[in-house]
């Protein structure tokens, strides 16, 4: 680790999130968040996500024993089995599932996340003072060959690059990414790039999915849909009986909204079907129903896979308290909004019209 590089004191290098040696799919970002170690206080006990100096019982890693190093690596390999930082990984998880290529929760073969830099920093990467850009370059340079080796791991066949900084660095490694179009939504656009390099498919998008500066859900959905199109060939080569196309299977009216979310989560994880139901005849018909207090909600057959995963991830991060019923395009108060927004492709309605908009 370069000196004076703003690394979070007491943290450890994150060689990967999930076991990269058993992964077939990897996502790549810039560097770990400080919140992997400190989220309004140092994470300990059941809340701890990764190894720390305290958990290891050491004051430095400079002369770490093989046993200590093994514990650091094990905590990286098992990251998604403990307390993942879903507020960061949620957007990538949505993309992975909606594209039908796997989940960070898969075991073997699995999905992992890699970074240009193994260390969490304080300040965060984007807030480094301009006069210290050289320290960022030094951190990237120190870990570059290790990342190159990770990307060449046997078995790894699909890599996603999240954002312009990652694209630029991977290009410097000799991966000749080429533009394959742009997607646009909500007044923002993202370039999409792809290539095959030494038997591995690389797909990238120029907008960082975790950006809080004006990046809309609609643009994230558009990126995920384009990635789904670009991975169709990969999916056909890696398909298994567990991922054959089937529709959402529910019986009767589900008891509450959480039961619907659980069913949708299992469906998205188990099949690459593009919609929850059969749309060959008429997609705008109820495919699943659930109770929500004094009303019944109907989920239409043409609700898309992307929308279903967006809904599941939103509930995972924010709960169920921000669902509301608003007017549809005809003025009838029966369409369900999530977090104040109509999720593109989510066709969820009350089975009777309400007198006025309200929260569920």
């Amino acid at each position: 680790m370069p000196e004076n590089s703003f690394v979070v004191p007491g943290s450890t290098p994150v060689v990967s999130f999930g076991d990269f040696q058993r992964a077939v799919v990897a996502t790549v970002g810039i560097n770990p968040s400080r919140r992997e170690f400190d989220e309004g206080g140092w994470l300990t006990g059941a809340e701890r996500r990764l190894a720390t100096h305290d958990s290891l019982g050491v004051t430095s890693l400079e002369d770490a024993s093989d046993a200590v190093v093994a514990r650091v690596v094990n905590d990286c390999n098992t990251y998604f089995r403990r307390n993942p930082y879903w507020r960061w990984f949620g957007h990538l998880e949505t993309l992975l599932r909606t594209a039908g290529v796997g989940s960070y929760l898969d075991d073997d073969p699995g999905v992992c996340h890699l970074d240009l830099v193994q260390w969490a920093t304080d300040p965060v990467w984007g807030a480094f003072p301009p006069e210290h850009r050289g320290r960022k370059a030094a951190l990237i340079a120190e870990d570059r060959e290790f990342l190159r080796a990770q990307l060449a791991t046997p078995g790894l066949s699909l890599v996603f690059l999240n954002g312009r900084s990652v694209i630029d660095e991977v290009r410097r490694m000799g991966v000749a990414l080429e533009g394959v179009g742009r997607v646009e939504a909500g007044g923002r656009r993202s370039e999409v790039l792809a290539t095959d390099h030494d038997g591995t498919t690389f797909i990238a998008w120029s907008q960082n999915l975790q950006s809080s500066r004006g990046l809309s859900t609609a643009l994230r959905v558009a990126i995920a849909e384009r990635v789904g199109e670009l991975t169709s060939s990969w999916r056909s080569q890696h398909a298994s009986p567990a991922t054959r196309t089937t529709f959402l299977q529910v019986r009767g009216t589900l008891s509450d909204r959480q039961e619907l979310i659980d069913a949708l989560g299992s469906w998205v994880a188990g099949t690459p079907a593009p919609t929850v139901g059969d749309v060959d005849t008429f997609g705008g018909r109820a495919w699943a129903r659930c109770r929500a207090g004094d009303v019944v909600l109907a989920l239409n057959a043409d609700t898309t896979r992307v929308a279903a995963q967006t809904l599941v991830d939103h509930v995972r991060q924010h709960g169920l308290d921000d669902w509301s019923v608003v007017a549809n395009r005809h003025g009838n108060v029966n369409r369900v909004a999530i977090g104040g927004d109509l999720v593109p492709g989510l066709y969820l309605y009350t089975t009777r019209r309400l007198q006025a908009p309200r929260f569920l």
Side-chain angles (χ1 to χ4, degrees):
M1 175 178 63
E3 293 184 5
N4 303 317
S5 50
F6 297 114
V7 167
V8 174
S11 66
T12 57
V14 187
V15 296
S16 63
F17 294 87
D19 189 346
F20 73 89
Q21 296 187 79
R22 299 171 64 182
V24 293
V25 178
T27 56
V28 185
I30 298 175
N31 78 313
S33 168
R34 176 191 176 92
R35 294 190 177 190
E36 298 294 356
F37 301 95
D38 180 358
E39 192 170 18
W42 206 246
L43 297 176
T44 60
E47 294 185 338
R48 182 175 63 81
R49 296 182 170 122
L50 294 157
T52 65
H53 289 189
D54 287 346
S55 73
L56 296 169
V58 300
T59 58
S60 170
L61 295 178
E62 188 172 346
D63 298 313
S65 66
D66 290 346
V68 166
V69 172
R71 290 173 63 188
V72 172
V73 173
N74 182 68
D75 277 6
C76 293
N77 289 345
T78 58
Y79 173 84
F80 290 104
R81 302 178 196 171
R82 290 195 305 279
N83 179 32
Y85 182 30
W86 285 119
R87 285 186 62 188
W88 195 92
F89 280 104
H91 295 306
L92 287 169
E93 174 74 359
T94 297
L95 182 142
L96 291 166
R97 287 180 178 262
T98 54
V101 299
S103 163
Y104 290 123
L105 301 177
D106 294 342
D107 282 328
D108 189 12
V111 179
C112 72
H113 179 80
L114 308 174
D115 282 311
L116 303 180
V117 173
Q118 299 173 31
W119 298 93
T121 57
D122 185 16
V124 297
W125 196 261
F128 265 56
E131 63 269 23
H132 294 304
R133 289 176 181 171
R135 298 185 183 183
K136 296 168 74 171
L139 284 167
I140 290 175
E142 177 153 296
D143 289 342
R144 181 177 293 125
E145 292 310 310
F146 184 74
L147 177 60
R148 190 196 303 274
Q150 288 180 308
L151 295 177
T153 301
L156 187 63
S157 60
L158 181 61
V159 176
F160 295 119
L161 308 179
N162 181 34
R164 176 63 64 188
S165 296
V166 179
I167 290 170
D168 291 345
E169 179 56 30
V170 172
R171 273 177 162 164
R172 293 187 189 101
M173 294 181 180
V175 178
L177 291 157
E178 298 180 356
V180 291
R182 293 179 178 178
V183 295
E184 186 170 358
R188 295 281 295 273
R189 65 178 59 183
S190 179
E191 185 181 4
V192 181
L193 308 95
T195 193
D196 287 324
H197 179 80
D198 291 341
T200 299
T201 298
F202 285 78
I203 297 174
W205 47 90
S206 58
Q207 293 281 1
N208 188 312
L209 294 186
Q210 285 74 22
S211 174
S212 60
R213 290 177 286 188
L215 191 63
S216 65
T217 297
L219 183 57
R220 292 188 179 101
V221 168
I223 292 171
E225 289 176 339
R226 182 67 177 120
V227 169
E229 294 169 359
L230 293 171
T231 54
S232 60
S233 176
W234 184 92
R235 291 197 307 272
S236 67
Q237 295 174 27
H238 293 80
S240 67
T243 61
R244 64 187 183 276
T245 299
T246 56
F247 299 122
L248 176 68
Q249 303 293 318
V250 295
R251 292 185 178 181
T253 300
L254 302 177
S255 61
D256 55 30
R257 289 176 289 164
Q258 187 58 58
E259 193 171 354
L260 175 64
I261 294 300
D262 292 342
L264 286 172
S266 298
W267 172 73
V268 169
T271 172
T275 57
V276 299
D278 185 356
V279 296
D280 283 348
T281 52
F282 175 56
R285 61 190 172 96
W287 190 263
R289 292 182 172 85
C290 75
R291 300 189 183 280
D294 62 339
V295 299
V296 173
L297 305 182
L299 182 71
N300 284 0
D302 53 349
T303 291
T304 68
R305 176 187 183 81
V306 173
Q309 184 62 63
T310 299
L311 177 61
V312 170
D313 287 340
H314 181 93
V315 171
R316 178 187 290 151
Q317 297 179 49
H318 303 288
L320 296 162
D321 294 338
D322 59 358
W323 293 32
S324 58
V325 184
V326 300
N328 65 17
R329 60 191 178 92
H330 300 297
N332 298 321
V333 181
N334 69 343
R335 187 163 183 185
V336 177
I338 309 298
D341 296 320
L342 293 175
V343 177
L346 178 65
Y347 302 111
L348 183 62
Y349 301 89
T350 57
T351 56
R352 61 179 173 83
R353 301 175 189 175
L354 304 188
Q355 294 299 312
R358 68 175 173 91
F359 283 98
L360 291 172

